[in-house]
Amino acid sequence: MNVNPHELKFQAVAASPGIAIGQAFIILPQVSSYENVLERVIPESQIDSEIERFNRALEQCRQQIINMQQRVQDKFDSREAGIFDAHLLIADDQILNDEVKTLIGKGVNAEAAYKRVITRYVNAIESIPDSYIRERANDIKDIASRVINNLTRESTPVVKPPDTPHIVIAHDLTPSETALMDRKTILGFAVETGSTTSHTAILARSMQMPAIVGLPHEAFTEIKNGSMIIVDGGNGELFVNPAQETLDFYRERIALEHNFAISLAGERSLPAQTTDNYEVKLYGNLETAEDLSAIIESGAGGVGLFRTEYMFINTAVLPSEDKQYQIYSDLARRIHGAPLVIRTLDIGGDKLESRIDATMEANPFLGLRAIRLCLKSRIDIFRAQLRAILRASIHGDIRVMFPMISCVEEVIEIKSFVAKMMSELKSENIAFNQDIKLGIMIEIPSAALIAEKLAPLVDFFSIGTNDLIQYSIAIDRNNDRVAYLYQPTHPAVLELIHRTVCAARNHGIAVSICGEMAGNPIYTPLLVGMGVHELSMGPNSIGIIRRIIRMMNKKDAETAVAKALKCTTAEEALKVSAGILRSIAPDMVGLGMPGF
Ligand code: PEP
Ligand code: MG
């Protein structure tokens, strides 16, 4: 037996199933803003080398902008990459850079000198009444943070990501950084922050990339660039310098999971129908257009949630109405008339984008987020998006869904705006589907509690359990310190879901679940037993959920729901659901499905 005495194991949180074996590449923490720098005095003898250091940081910044431009161009649209030309102009600004060098010449360190000059420019621009010009201050801040980061990282060698396959280790990854990951070279990732329902984790599942979150801080002192590691995304484990025995075990697991996936794929054309003939529609959640093929391959019946915000996040220029029209129409065509539920912009919370809303809020998850932002601050964006959706609606079964609904008034306001958009299009002789289905997300407890009042106003409900849990239990869904309280089977959560499903049934409208609960087999008995019509999830989960539903009996699930609703704790209710699951599919336990 070949045991490596240096093997270390860290327990983190499962975020995206699958196993990755490869070399680590560590992404160093960034200084979050150019404002967070300290001033120190540079002795005269070091002034020349300090200026050299500044020149190097500027040059690095230029390279980073060019690389970013290239990546955006490859992934999105060449016109959008053009904005980086403006960034290059800022980085190359001779007057600004000379001013910094003059200050360094007076003994101010490069970071502080740059900050001082930049702050003056930013203040001057921000005092101009023209909002377009004011927006440019954000570009300058962006470049400034980049240059400062380059300066502060200089003491630790900057390592270029390898071109060969590797596993990313980082303290934090934003949803936009995750969306831009190169899938050809990145095998998986492990981060210190976040939780299973953070958007970074959701994206990883969508990209079918093994990932763990909540990696213990100590791991960062043990993992070096190039260390051999194993990430077990289903069990939330990470091994550093694994022994031969561990490697063999995980290689066998990869083969096992592969075979299991093949056997699930063999059922892709079968309906998700219980043994007593209750059919549940299974749909895929889509983050970027390039993930549609995984949804199609999974045999999903359509797209139950298109998170359109990613079109707005990783782009230098916001997508125009025409660009959106093209994207929506292409997607509708590619799924050949199957339902495509397009959710309007849900920016805010952890999906922040300063180009859309630069206002800093103390509590972004409770702030001017999603539909609130669209209606109250960026009606221009809402207008372009709705017109694009309506125009595309003639190319398939496109439905539109509005996020973060909290009251009846919002729905009334939305509907009158949709009617206005329709009459505009009519007067321009532009075709659209007049009967397009309008739905709302039920993800705020107030909406679930007034579901009976909301149901008559819309064509469907989609329950966003990620936010519903966050808001009903009052826990930040990204905060690993309170992740232990994040319990989908909390009696309050089950009550809210049940209430919503009953209201939909009473009013004859469809109800789906599109939060992460929908793709976790452990909750399937409860959701099916309550009588949801549709479950929408990451493509990875569709096969297993289909198999479980096909093994299940709706009557038994209903009995389980009646029992679970009487439970006083989340754990008891979870046991009820797990009991059904174990009785029908004991052999699936331990196959790397989160929460199993
Ligand atoms: C949800 O809240 O459950 C949901 C599906 O939306 P998101 O995760 O994008 O907030
Ligand atoms: Mg949500």
Side-chain angles (χ1 to χ4, degrees):
M1 191 170 63
N2 184 356
V3 178
N4 184 346
H6 304 300
E7 175 177 304
L8 286 169
K9 179 180 167 184
F10 293 95
Q11 184 64 52
V13 178
S16 175
I19 290 155
I21 303 179
Q23 292 192 328
F25 175 68
I26 302 165
I27 296 183
L28 293 165
Q30 306 269 310
V31 172
S32 55
S33 148
Y34 75 96
E35 285 149 323
N36 306 336
V37 299
L38 294 176
E39 188 153 335
R40 60 193 160 82
V41 178
I42 298 292
E44 210 177 329
S45 60
Q46 286 176 20
I47 284 178
D48 284 349
S49 61
E50 191 68 1
I51 291 178
E52 257 318 293
R53 206 164 73 82
F54 176 60
N55 284 336
R56 276 198 302 276
L58 280 179
E59 185 45 38
Q60 262 181 17
C61 176
R62 296 192 80 254
Q63 275 312 319
Q64 288 158 343
I65 298 169
I66 292 166
N67 291 347
M68 189 78 183
Q69 189 168 34
Q70 192 57 50
R71 283 161 76 195
V72 167
Q73 203 157 327
D74 292 348
K75 203 167 170 91
F76 297 96
D77 191 307
S78 56
R79 279 171 305 154
E80 295 175 350
I83 191 82
F84 292 106
D85 292 337
H87 282 199
L88 280 173
L89 284 177
I90 300 168
D92 286 341
D93 192 300
Q94 200 61 46
I95 300 177
L96 189 155
N97 294 337
D98 283 350
E99 275 187 58
V100 177
K101 287 176 197 168
T102 308
L103 270 178
I104 298 175
K106 290 180 182 162
V108 181
N109 61 317
E111 292 89 335
Y114 197 59
K115 177 193 156 176
R116 274 207 220 168
V117 175
I118 284 289
T119 307
R120 202 159 39 73
Y121 275 69
V122 166
N123 289 346
I125 291 175
E126 283 184 338
S127 66
I128 296 171
D130 183 318
S131 66
Y132 177 80
I133 296 178
R134 270 203 322 270
E135 285 265 305
R136 305 284 68 80
N138 285 331
D139 293 332
I140 299 183
K141 287 181 192 170
D142 196 344
I143 297 305
S145 295
R146 218 174 257 291
V147 172
I148 304 271
N149 273 316
N150 293 340
L151 283 166
T152 48
R153 261 185 308 172
E154 251 212 344
S155 47
T156 14
V158 177
V159 189
K160 198 175 147 298
D163 297 330
T164 48
H166 58 275
I167 297 171
V168 168
I169 306 289
H171 287 277
D172 191 17
L173 284 174
T174 62
S176 54
E177 285 166 337
T178 313
L180 274 179
M181 276 187 166
D182 178 359
R183 299 174 199 200
K184 284 190 216 87
T185 52
I186 300 177
L187 302 168
F189 66 82
V191 287
E192 187 179 2
T193 57
S195 67
T196 40
T197 50
S198 60
H199 285 98
T200 296
I202 291 174
L203 273 165
R205 289 194 283 274
S206 214
M207 294 158 81
Q208 307 191 328
M209 185 179 276
I212 59 178
V213 294
L215 183 66
H217 193 70
E218 311 84 79
F220 288 84
T221 47
E222 302 297 340
I223 305 171
K224 307 276 174 278
N225 265 330
S227 298
M228 176 55 100
I229 54 172
I230 300 176
V231 166
D232 178 352
N235 289 315
E237 290 170 350
L238 182 140
F239 293 85
V240 188
N241 304 322
Q244 189 57 45
E245 203 185 32
T246 315
L247 279 168
D248 291 346
F249 173 81
Y250 278 96
R251 288 196 176 119
E252 202 182 313
R253 278 271 310 276
I254 291 177
L256 246 157
E257 288 190 7
H258 181 70
N259 291 342
F260 184 59
I262 290 176
S263 89
L264 290 176
E267 296 165 10
R268 62 191 292 277
S269 53
L270 301 175
Q273 191 167 319
T274 60
T275 50
D276 47 353
N277 301 325
Y278 177 77
E279 188 178 346
V280 182
K281 296 270 179 241
L282 300 187
Y283 295 145
N285 287 352
L286 183 68
E287 277 74 42
T288 56
E290 64 182 312
D291 291 325
L292 186 70
S293 35
I295 292 181
I296 295 171
E297 276 158 31
S298 72
V303 173
L305 165 64
F306 176 25
R307 288 184 165 98
T308 57
E309 44 277 7
Y310 290 100
M311 299 188 317
F312 292 77
I313 290 176
N314 279 326
T315 177
V317 176
L318 299 182
S320 64
E321 176 185 323
D322 282 346
K323 174 93 196 285
Q324 290 185 65
Y325 164 73
Q326 262 172 27
I327 295 173
Y328 304 147
S329 310
D330 280 356
L331 289 173
R333 284 197 201 96
R334 283 172 65 195
I335 56 174
H336 308 292
L340 167 63
V341 180
I342 302 178
R343 179 175 75 181
T344 60
L345 186 68
D346 185 9
I347 287 281
D350 60 341
K351 293 173 287 191
L352 294 171
E353 172 55 60
S354 60
R355 279 174 218 287
I356 294 180
D357 184 25
T359 314
M360 291 291 283
E361 293 180 311
N363 295 299
F365 275 112
L366 304 180
L368 199 71
R369 176 188 164 185
I371 196 67
R372 304 167 180 186
L373 180 96
C374 284
L375 289 174
K376 299 300 162 206
S377 153
R378 296 302 306 256
I379 198 84
D380 56 325
I381 292 183
F382 197 41
R383 180 172 187 278
Q385 185 166 36
L386 273 178
R387 282 178 55 102
I389 297 172
L390 287 169
R391 285 170 55 196
S393 65
I394 54 167
H395 298 298
D397 181 0
I398 288 184
R399 306 170 187 182
V400 55
M401 175 158 85
F402 303 98
M404 289 288 291
I405 297 298
S406 66
C407 59
V408 163
E409 291 88 327
E410 277 166 343
V411 181
I412 294 172
E413 192 177 345
I414 290 166
K415 286 180 75 175
S416 102
F417 193 69
V418 171
K420 192 170 151 202
M421 292 303 100
M422 285 182 166
S423 67
E424 247 184 51
L425 289 174
K426 231 181 238 165
S427 66
E428 293 166 33
N429 282 325
I430 297 176
F432 63 92
N433 173 12
Q434 306 210 17
D435 300 318
I436 187 167
K437 288 196 166 73
L438 303 180
I440 55 173
M441 290 204 58
I442 302 289
E443 52 184 346
I444 297 182
S446 63
L449 290 168
I450 58 163
E452 284 285 348
K453 298 179 172 66
L454 290 166
L457 302 174
V458 295
D459 299 307
F460 64 94
F461 283 159
S462 189
I463 306 177
T465 49
N466 306 337
D467 279 319
L468 188 63
I469 298 165
Q470 154 166 271
Y471 293 124
S472 52
I473 313 180
I475 32 157
D476 176 346
R477 66 194 254 192
N478 293 326
N479 185 343
D480 49 332
R481 299 175 73 204
V482 289
Y484 70 99
L485 286 171
Y486 194 94
Q487 290 166 316
T489 53
H490 185 296
V493 175
L494 290 184
E495 192 65 49
L496 292 171
I497 298 175
H498 187 237
R499 207 181 163 105
T500 307
V501 176
C502 291
R505 187 183 308 127
N506 293 344
H507 293 270
I509 64 167
V511 57
S512 77
I513 309 268
C514 64
E516 295 306 294
M517 240 180 129
N520 191 332
I522 205 154
Y523 308 116
T524 312
L526 294 183
L527 300 179
V528 173
M530 281 193 203
V532 298
H533 304 111
E534 295 152 14
L535 294 171
S536 191
M537 63 199 80
N540 247 346
S541 299
I542 289 180
I544 190 153
I545 301 289
R546 181 191 295 111
R547 179 172 290 182
I548 282 161
I549 292 175
R550 290 179 59 78
M551 293 166 120
M552 233 169 77
N553 182 292
K554 172 87 166 12
K555 280 267 161 315
D556 292 345
E558 284 169 5
T559 311
V561 168
K563 251 197 225 167
L565 286 172
K566 289 198 189 104
C567 290
T568 48
T569 66
E571 198 185 336
E572 277 173 46
L574 187 67
K575 274 193 187 140
V576 174
S577 199
I580 295 242
L581 194 59
R582 283 176 197 277
S583 70
I584 56 170
D587 54 323
M588 288 184 205
V589 176
L591 273 166
M593 309 306 295
F596 215 88

